[in-house]
Structures are given as structure tokens and as C-alpha cells.
Amino acid sequence: MTLTMPGYLSRVAERAIEGALQRRGGVLIEGSRGCGKTWAARRFARSEVRLDDPATLLLANADPHTLLKGVTPRLLDEWQNAPSLWNLVRRECDDRIRPGQFILTGSASPQDDTTRHTGVGRISRVLMRPMSLFEMGYSSGSVSLSSLFEGRTASALPCTDVGLRDIAAFTCVGGWPGSLYLDEEQARLAVGDYLNEIVRLDIPLVSGIQHHPATVRRLLRSLARHVATEAKVARLASDAGGDRPLGRHTVTAYLDALDRIFVVEDQPAWSVGLRSQATLRKAPKRHFVDPSLAASMLRASPERLLADPRTFGFLFESLVVRDLRVYSQPERAEVFHYRDETGLEIDAIIEREDGGWIAVEVKLSPAPEVVDRAARSLLRLRKKVAKGRAGELATLMVVTSTGPAYRRPDGVQVTPITALGP
């Protein structure tokens, strides 16, 4: 008997969780608070203990071995509240010599991370992100990332039920499971509540520096203004500090804290061999784990985004990157970006462990002239990469907000975000 909650919607990460339980004694599900880790863990767990309960924490300190007794897989929810459990779980995995014994969930990485490395070979990690449009039922999934890696052509009629205003709403509301049944206004307010809790409670626990809530808010707002760009620490420090720029050490410490609580997730630059002598840019792109966090910090409603296409474009790119990260997980792939000194920039490169890759340009508008420009950039990239990497290219794709899915005569796949799936 599993502990799945009523109304639970399946998650793409379930496949990774199930695989980890089949080969390791334990699986650690990490991700931002409220992204659905506990609900997904209960899909597989047969008993649980919650370490966000004060009485349970007292028992964890007095007799921690008791917490490990129970029907397996046993869920230890928010384990980081009792970090000493890590080594106990590791030893139990060694002693029991059976896979699928424990599931741990955590919404923050302990500041002293050294003990966790001893979990290698015993505990596998799975990163869970907020829900994609496919998981929430807002994308048909008719254009499968898996099938694109296999070189298949995909086509689909436009989704007439979803317009640009809906895309703006998806961006502002985000992929938070707890907001699925709230109306739009309440869901947006819930994102603001989440950010308040980050500033008030989460950052002080993991930052390791003197906590200044107003400073954290200014940094979050700066990150929101620079979402989907390669803003450097110095730029963020200057922008967040106003008349008195923040120190680089302070900004770096806060960025590390935001990373530890899975609020930000930068998009690294792609390393690839080129035919040309162009120099690759190595700076990562800045992203929140969910675009709704950036929208909230900018006080952006769907109507305000519709009135500001430039800002909407950056946030839409972040929305697409979030979904691509979710869909690429079963492929054991990572999402990068590309930029070189000639000005060629590609919004996303999805690369599998076997070297196969997909290049993606993100465009808010599905207009033919906009798609044409994006396709030309993608074709330029294909021409630039070295022969071996060109041979590993699965497809070139333009992701739009709305419109049909189709394959162009030049081979470029065009897909609205509402048709993308794993």
C-alpha cells in the first residue's frame, strides 16, 4: 500500500525515482520547497516519518535508529532537519544489502555538505523541479522530446483552447502543485508568500552570513530583471545595491544560498568543437527554478506581460527552459545555452550523455518571419559545429508560445510549448 495523496498528478521524475530504488539502497529527492517532492515520494513509499515535526526531531536526537524502522521503502521527509540521519541511512543501506530501503526528501542542502559524499554507491539523487505544462495538463505532449532525439518528425494542429494570455498566466502562476486548484489571483499571491518565506526563514538557515532581508529582496529583484541573461555577479551587485553597490562576496554568498534551497538554477554554457575560430562565451544564463518567481519579483501580472513583450519574452524563455529540463530528465540530458563572439546565440542546447543533442530557439511569437530568423540561427550553428558533433545532432527546433507544430522544408521543427512533452 502506497501513501499517494488524492488528486496526485504523475510526475516525469517518477521514472528516475523508480530506477534509483531498483539499484540503490536509498534515493534522495531534492528540489525547491513546494515542488511536490513529498507527494512524489509517497507514490513509492510504504511508511514515512516527517522531520518537520518538533516531536519527531526530538526523537531523531534521542534515538535516531528508531526512525529507520518501518516498512520499506521508508520515507524520511525533510531529512536535512536532522543531518545526522545521513550516515545512519548510509550504514543501514550497507547492512541490509537490498535496494529500495529509504527515500529521503530535502528542500535545502545542509551548509556542511561533506558527509553527503559518502552516499556514493548507496544513495542515488534525483532532482525534482516545479511542474511542467505537460504535468499540469496544459500541454498535449504530442511532440515528445524522446521522439525528437530519435529523429522523428512531429506535427499537430494549434491548441485553440490556449492563447497568449494563457501563456502569460502560466508564467505568472508557475508549476507549484499546491496552487493547482487555486484561482489565478490566489495562485499568484501564493508565489509571493513563497518568496516571503524564502527571505524570512530559508536564507538565514543556509547563507552562513549576516542576514539582511531587504538586501535579499533587492538581489531577487535584480535576478528577476536579468532572467535568461548572462548577468555577471558584478552586474547583479551594482543593480541590487542602487547608490551603494553590494559587495561581490555578499552577492556570491546569497546566490550560493539561493542555489542550496533550489530557488535559482543557472543554465551553463555549452562546450562544443567548432569548425570556425569563433571563441565561445562561458557565462551561464540566470534562471529561477520557476519563472513565476521572477514574475512575482517584477510584480508582473498577465496583463502587464502582454503590454511588455520584451519582458514577457525573457520570462517565456525561462518557462521553456524549465519545461525542457523536466522533459530531458528521462533522457539523462542537461540543458545548456550557446553564445560565441560573433553574436550567434542559441537559447537552449539539450545534450544527452551519449553526445546526442537538440538545439532550441525560443520565440514568443509564432509569426513566420520570427520563426524564419530563429531557423537561420539554428542552421548557422549546425554549419559551425565540428563534423563529429554535427553528426550527433538529433534536430533543430523553434519553440513558440502558440500555433501549430510542423517540420519546415529546411528540416527545422517548430513546436508550441503546449505540444511539448517528455
Side-chain angles (χ1 to χ4, degrees):
M1 177 179 176
T2 61
L3 306 173
T4 306
M5 299 179 69
Y8 174 74
L9 298 178
S10 295
R11 305 297 297 273
V12 173
E14 286 177 17
R15 192 185 308 178
I17 297 170
E18 183 175 25
L21 286 170
Q22 290 172 354
R23 66 178 181 271
R24 296 295 186 217
V27 56
L28 169 60
I29 307 173
E30 298 181 297
S32 53
R33 187 149 53 96
C35 73
K37 301 181 299 298
T38 302
W39 292 8
R42 286 173 173 169
R43 166 75 174 77
F44 301 94
R46 298 186 65 198
S47 67
E48 72 174 24
V49 56
R50 302 192 59 170
L51 290 154
D52 55 0
D53 175 66
T56 305
L57 280 177
L58 288 174
L59 183 58
N61 291 323
D63 187 11
H65 288 89
T66 301
L67 300 183
L68 305 187
K69 297 176 181 178
V71 183
T72 60
R74 183 158 176 79
L75 168 61
L76 306 177
D77 193 34
E78 297 294 350
W79 78 273
Q80 80 278 352
N81 292 331
S84 61
L85 287 176
W86 181 267
N87 283 331
L88 293 181
V89 169
R90 177 183 59 82
R91 287 196 290 269
E92 281 293 314
C93 290
D94 284 341
D95 293 343
R96 298 183 187 186
I97 322 176
R98 289 194 301 273
Q101 297 300 298
F102 299 103
I103 304 173
L104 297 84
T105 66
S107 54
S109 299
Q111 195 166 359
D112 182 2
D113 207 37
T114 55
T115 59
R116 302 176 63 203
H117 295 292
T118 59
V120 173
R122 306 167 180 91
I123 301 173
S124 184
R125 300 185 190 186
V126 174
L127 178 60
M128 177 166 279
R129 300 177 174 92
M131 299 179 81
S132 63
L133 295 190
F134 174 74
E135 291 168 309
M136 291 185 285
Y138 299 136
S139 170
S140 67
S142 57
V143 180
S144 159
L145 199 67
S146 175
S147 68
L148 292 176
F149 267 114
E150 295 173 5
R152 298 178 192 168
T153 297
S155 61
L157 294 173
C159 180
T160 56
D161 295 334
V162 178
L164 194 57
R165 203 274 177 195
D166 298 299
I167 299 298
F170 298 154
T171 303
C172 292
V173 167
W176 307 103
S179 295
L180 284 175
Y181 304 107
L182 299 179
D183 63 37
E184 184 183 298
E185 182 179 1
Q186 291 301 316
R188 285 176 50 216
L189 290 173
V191 178
D193 293 340
Y194 178 83
L195 286 164
N196 289 336
E197 290 299 292
I198 289 171
V199 173
R200 188 175 68 89
L201 294 176
D202 294 349
I203 292 292
L205 290 175
V206 297
S207 66
I209 61 175
Q210 187 175 0
H211 180 231
H212 297 285
T215 301
V216 177
R217 286 188 178 280
R218 291 201 304 271
L219 177 58
L220 288 169
R221 194 167 294 114
S222 178
L223 284 167
R225 283 194 290 265
H226 295 290
V227 74
T229 75
E230 299 164 53
K232 296 182 179 179
V233 169
R235 178 68 180 274
L236 296 174
S238 175
D239 186 55
D243 295 334
R244 297 180 61 187
L246 300 178
R248 290 175 60 91
H249 173 75
T250 300
V251 172
T252 300
Y254 279 136
L255 288 175
D256 178 68
L258 291 168
D259 179 68
R260 283 181 174 275
I261 58 176
F262 306 99
V263 168
V264 297
E265 186 176 4
D266 286 347
Q267 183 183 4
W270 192 44
S271 297
V272 60
L274 298 176
R275 286 194 181 97
S276 70
Q277 297 299 312
T279 301
L280 298 178
R281 301 292 180 88
K282 297 297 186 181
K285 277 191 176 183
R286 304 290 182 181
H287 288 282
F288 286 88
V289 73
D290 190 278
S292 63
L293 300 174
S296 183
M297 290 308 304
L298 295 174
R299 300 178 181 271
S301 65
E303 285 69 29
R304 290 188 69 184
L305 288 183
L306 291 172
D308 185 354
R310 187 171 185 276
T311 299
F312 191 3
F314 284 117
L315 291 179
F316 177 65
E317 181 181 333
S318 198
L319 176 72
V320 172
V321 168
R322 180 202 69 187
D323 282 9
L324 290 177
R325 282 170 165 161
V326 173
Y327 304 151
S328 64
Q329 193 168 21
E331 298 297 316
R332 299 175 66 85
E334 293 186 60
V335 179
F336 302 89
H337 79 95
Y338 175 93
R339 187 182 180 194
D340 63 34
E341 64 178 3
T342 70
L344 178 58
E345 180 177 355
I346 302 299
D347 296 322
I349 305 289
I350 310 161
E351 184 179 50
R352 294 195 306 198
E353 289 181 340
D354 63 3
W357 57 284
I358 294 172
V360 180
E361 272 283 81
V362 179
K363 296 298 176 185
L364 188 60
S365 171
E369 62 273 17
V370 175
V371 173
D372 282 343
R373 288 195 297 271
R376 285 196 294 271
S377 294
L378 292 166
L379 293 168
R380 279 180 62 199
L381 175 67
R382 184 175 68 183
K383 187 176 180 180
K384 277 193 169 191
V385 300
K387 184 177 180 180
R389 296 316 309 270
E392 295 170 332
L393 173 64
T395 195
L396 304 170
M397 179 167 61
V398 180
V399 175
T400 61
S401 58
T402 56
Y406 60 96
R407 182 78 66 150
R408 290 164 48 100
D410 57 15
V412 175
Q413 173 73 41
V414 181
T415 308
I417 192 173
T418 52
L420 270 179

